[in-house]
Amino acid sequence: MERRRLWITLTVISIAVIVVGVGTILSAAQVEASATAPVLALGGLIAIFGIALALRCPDVAVVLLIAADAAKMSEIAADLIGVGVFQPLLGLAMVSMSLAVISGRLRLQWSLLYLFAIAVAAASAASVLVAGGSEAGIEALVEFAKDLAYLVVVLAWATSRRSWRLATGVLVGTMAMLGALSVVQEFALGNGVDFFGLSNVQTTQLGAVTLRHSGPEVDANFWARSLALTLPIALSWWAVSKRAIGKWLAAGAVIGIGLGLYLTQSRGGLLAVTMAVIIWLILAGRRYVRLLALAPVALAIILVIPGVGSRLVTLTEIGEAQQGAGDPSLQGRVGAQEAGIGMFLANPVLGVGLGEFRLTVPETQRDLGIQAEVLDAHNLFLEIAAESGFVGLSAWALFLGFGVFAAMRVLMLSRQQDSEDGEWNRLMAAGIVSGIAAWLAASVFLHAASLRVLFTVLAVGVGMDIGLRGSSAELSWGTPQIEAEPSRAVALSPAPARPRPPVIQRPLVAGALVFLVVAVGGWLVVGDAPQDWVAERQLVVTTGEEASGPYAAYSQDLISRGLIGATYAAVLEDPKFTLQALDDLGWTYNEVGSTEVSAAYSPSLQIISVRVVGDDAAQVAALAAGVARRGAEFVGGLAQPFIVDDVGPSSMETQPTGLSVLSRAALLAIAATAAAVAAIGIAGVAHRNRDVSSQR
């Protein structure tokens, strides 16, 4: 009765959503008189019915999320209509799964991948906190939190619904269609259409033969990494398909993904997918491992394909790149490697902070004498080490390592199954392991981006592992069931059972202790936010002696328009005035290297404010006065009717460095909570295993 009542409620909610949505869209279409209004109305109606269906079926909601993310529909929608779709689809999947859990149609399963994901999040938050919490660090942390939310949703679905065929099929199909669009774009349409952003071409970068295609991505190299991840899975679909139509469709997907990867002209992607295919042949079984004998011939044929061998041979110029010559792209990558190693060695524990690599590059280049232009890390592992230190690198190693381990365990266990399901599990596990290996290999040349496709594959592998081993091998959110041993011939009187604390009590105590330790210890380290001193020296813009008489009013009118003062403010920001002031004070630049000097003009007050920020009050006050004096002398020496007068003294105030105390407390609370949840998970697993062992 309760379930029937719930279904009635859900149906009423769905109908209400449809009615409200249709009314809103029709109203918008009526107000909008352009030709696009009917199209928007029709699209909106389809979207509303899709939402109603997704609320009733978690498979629909999660599949929409996976396909939309693989095709980068959120970015495309943001460009077309100004609103992204990732967060709405993520929220829709969460609501749909929550309703399924409430109604009893979905039972969540626990996995250690959750625990390792929390460890990665805690390490990232700690690196941002210790680094001072810059705007770039907070932004990177927020984006990574979105990626982890995606992982949690897809992992919960994959471990509970066991819709692995659906997940891998949708992912492969989406990537194959996008690869096919690149082929059509290059060879049929002459790169004249981008299919609303689904098939982009980097017109500024010419590959060996064609322009470089990046699919829905901005950068062709990242698109190549995603394609290399999915091609072995497409091979697995081809291998497991029994019917002719399925075989042909899977073969078409392999060809579409392969040609799309070729059109990226990415050296790292080509190397990664070559390695992935070899690994797949080894893991797929005896029928396919024999094909390795043809590998030399296949590689020779591939290398003579226009745009493959000629692109790969440029990697031999890496020696020249290390000397500052040769391919500029290789020079930048070598410089990035050196910068990443330097950052890690300077900050080995927690790194320079998540999202801080690009901001720290200029200082590292200056310290190490790196001449090449460096923008990004161009190496995922060095980026993690540089930004999150050994702690972050260890957390990522556990996270990715467990995903590979789970897929390898599926591969081993499936060999014991003689059914068609066993063959499907074995070949798909081979595809997942090979795909992850390709992604990791390509990441030697690329930094962290587009992580959600990888998270989808990891979630499917872990879901297969849990499903294959059964509920007894993994913790469930429910009460674990312990199979009783067969009774023995001699019955023994059981000893009186001693009262024991609830199963959850000890893990909660462990979590509370960890929370207190992390919170108190962390506050002692980062709670006291350091302060910077800010000195401001004001200069009023006015007319000089040359503007007397009939020109005075005209000169004052020019000042009131704001351009004169803004120009002088820009002039005062020239570093030469700072250097002159330092010379007057008898200081060197290294003594005040962390001091920042700026100037801003207020048109309403007709005042230029010279602002100096640093950690020493006396230094910033003296430097502000010196820069103002030198700037006033320079402007006064110009042959024009305007001057700037120093109206000192300097005003002084303090400001927190990086994050405020409240922001530090909030981040510390998040890190402590994440650590506590991890401790509860570990303690819960250990406590349950001990109980199972004792009852056996």
Side-chain angles (χ1 to χ4, degrees):
M1 180 63 68
E2 292 295 331
R3 183 169 296 183
R4 180 181 179 185
R5 188 176 303 169
L6 178 62
W7 276 113
I8 294 174
T9 304
L10 292 178
T11 304
V12 172
I13 293 175
S14 301
I15 294 174
V17 169
I18 293 174
V19 171
V20 173
V22 169
T24 303
I25 291 172
L26 291 179
S27 300
Q30 186 176 7
V31 173
E32 179 64 48
S34 67
T36 60
V39 177
L40 292 176
L42 179 60
L45 283 173
I46 296 175
I48 292 300
F49 280 104
I51 291 172
L53 180 61
L55 286 174
R56 295 290 299 270
C57 181
D59 289 352
V60 174
V62 180
V63 162
L64 284 175
L65 179 64
I66 292 173
D69 180 75
K72 305 300 176 189
M73 291 302 300
S74 185
E75 292 82 351
I76 294 173
D79 291 338
L80 294 177
I81 61 176
V83 179
V85 298
F86 170 72
Q87 289 176 241
L89 286 177
L90 182 65
L92 178 65
M94 288 181 174
V95 172
S96 179
M97 292 185 64
S98 299
L99 293 175
V101 170
I102 294 172
S103 64
R105 294 178 290 120
L106 192 67
R107 187 169 182 265
L108 300 179
Q109 301 288 328
W110 169 255
S111 170
L112 282 176
L113 195 65
Y114 289 115
L115 187 62
F116 296 137
I118 292 172
V120 172
S124 301
S127 70
V128 172
L129 187 63
V130 172
S134 68
E135 182 178 349
I138 297 297
E139 183 179 352
L141 189 60
V142 170
E143 290 302 316
F144 185 61
K146 295 179 183 178
D147 293 341
L148 286 183
Y150 174 90
L151 170 67
V152 169
V153 169
V154 178
L155 180 59
W157 175 72
T159 55
S160 304
R161 295 290 291 179
R162 303 190 179 186
S163 301
W164 313 313
R165 302 190 184 213
L166 181 60
T168 54
V170 167
L171 182 61
V172 167
T174 302
M175 303 300 276
M177 286 188 289
L178 292 172
L181 285 182
S182 295
V183 176
V184 174
Q185 171 90 301
E186 174 67 32
F187 299 109
L189 301 179
N191 299 319
V193 181
D194 65 355
F195 296 102
F196 299 101
L198 290 172
S199 180
N200 296 313
V201 181
Q202 296 183 346
T203 56
T204 59
Q205 295 186 16
L206 180 64
V209 177
T210 67
L211 292 175
R212 301 188 65 185
H213 290 249
S214 59
E217 296 265 15
V218 176
D219 191 299
N221 294 310
F222 293 103
W223 178 233
R225 181 168 64 177
S226 297
L227 291 173
L229 170 66
T230 52
L231 189 138
I233 301 175
L235 275 176
S236 295
W237 266 108
W238 170 79
V240 299
S241 299
K242 301 299 182 183
R243 297 182 180 180
I245 185 172
K247 208 79 167 176
W248 281 105
L249 287 175
V254 173
I255 294 172
I257 294 174
L259 289 176
L261 180 57
Y262 166 74
L263 290 175
T264 65
Q265 298 287 288
S266 170
R267 293 167 292 193
L270 293 171
L271 288 174
V273 79
T274 301
M275 184 194 71
V277 171
I278 293 174
I279 294 175
W280 186 87
L281 291 174
I282 295 173
L283 298 179
R286 297 178 182 176
R287 183 189 308 176
Y288 303 99
V289 76
R290 299 169 185 168
L291 297 177
L292 285 175
L294 302 176
V297 178
L299 287 176
I301 295 174
I302 292 173
L303 288 175
V304 300
I305 296 176
V308 177
S310 55
R311 283 288 290 170
L312 294 179
V313 77
T314 59
L315 293 175
T316 60
E317 301 176 9
I318 191 168
E320 299 179 18
Q322 291 174 338
Q323 303 299 324
D327 188 347
S329 174
L330 288 179
Q331 292 182 43
R333 292 176 187 276
V334 171
Q337 309 284 317
E338 296 174 353
I341 294 173
M343 292 179 198
F344 173 68
L345 294 178
N347 305 272
V349 180
L350 284 170
V352 297
L354 185 68
E356 298 287 340
F357 185 93
R358 179 175 289 192
L359 299 178
T360 315
V361 159
E363 179 183 350
T364 306
Q365 284 183 300
R366 185 172 61 251
D367 294 341
L368 301 180
I370 300 173
Q371 300 298 325
E373 181 181 2
V374 178
L375 294 179
D376 293 300
H378 294 298
N379 185 308
L380 172 70
F381 312 104
L382 272 181
E383 180 187 31
I384 295 172
E387 292 189 346
S388 302
F390 180 77
V391 174
L393 195 61
S394 301
W396 271 102
L398 290 171
F399 175 74
L400 296 174
F402 180 77
V404 175
F405 168 76
M408 285 298 297
R409 188 159 54 183
V410 172
L411 185 66
M412 298 304 172
L413 293 176
S414 61
R415 296 181 188 274
Q416 304 172 11
Q417 297 176 302
D418 297 329
S419 62
E420 289 187 5
D421 287 341
E423 183 183 10
W424 192 94
N425 291 333
R426 176 173 55 82
L427 289 170
M428 193 53 61
I432 290 173
V433 172
S434 305
I436 296 174
W439 194 93
L440 294 175
S443 297
V444 173
F445 309 97
L446 299 172
H447 56 273
S450 303
L451 298 176
R452 295 170 197 156
V453 177
L454 172 69
F455 287 173
T456 301
V457 176
L458 286 173
V460 172
V462 173
M464 291 176 64
D465 178 46
I466 292 177
L468 194 60
R469 294 190 300 118
S471 59
S472 62
E474 288 275 343
L475 264 178
S476 167
W477 292 113
T479 304
Q481 300 295 324
I482 301 171
E483 184 179 354
E485 292 186 355
S487 59
R488 300 182 182 274
V490 179
L492 301 177
S493 301
R498 292 183 299 173
R500 301 183 61 188
V503 174
I504 197 64
Q505 179 175 328
R506 294 178 185 176
L508 281 181
V509 171
L513 290 175
V514 169
F515 181 89
L516 289 175
V517 170
V518 174
V520 175
W523 187 256
L524 292 176
V525 176
V526 300
D528 186 15
Q531 303 287 321
D532 271 344
W533 287 96
V534 181
E536 282 195 3
R537 191 84 171 195
Q538 294 183 337
L539 300 169
V540 61
V541 181
T542 184
T543 56
E545 295 179 358
E546 297 181 10
S548 59
Y551 299 102
Y554 176 71
S555 299
Q556 193 62 41
D557 178 63
L558 288 177
I559 293 174
S560 66
R561 298 180 185 181
L563 293 178
I564 301 297
T567 301
Y568 288 159
V571 168
L572 288 177
E573 288 188 328
D574 192 310
K576 74 176 184 179
F577 298 113
T578 302
L579 294 175
Q580 290 173 356
L582 289 174
D583 188 58
D584 294 339
L585 294 168
W587 297 338
T588 63
Y589 182 79
N590 291 333
E591 293 181 83
V592 293
S594 61
T595 303
E596 299 177 2
V597 180
S598 61
Y601 178 65
S602 171
S604 59
L605 300 176
Q606 297 181 3
I607 284 177
I608 298 174
S609 296
V610 177
R611 191 170 188 265
V612 182
V613 182
D615 55 8
D616 187 287
Q619 278 187 349
V620 297
L623 190 56
V627 171
R629 181 174 57 81
R630 280 293 189 171
E633 291 175 357
F634 174 80
V635 174
L638 299 175
Q640 41 82 39
F642 308 105
I643 62 172
V644 290
D645 280 342
D646 190 348
V647 295
S650 303
S651 62
M652 299 291 294
E653 62 180 11
T654 60
Q655 68 177 19
T657 301
L659 291 176
S660 64
V661 174
L662 182 60
S663 299
R664 288 169 183 267
L667 273 178
L668 190 58
I670 294 173
T673 303
V677 172
I680 291 173
I682 294 174
V685 172
H687 193 65
R688 176 184 177 274
N689 291 339
R690 187 166 57 250
D691 287 344
V692 172
S693 300
S694 63
Q695 294 189 34
R696 286 179 178 176

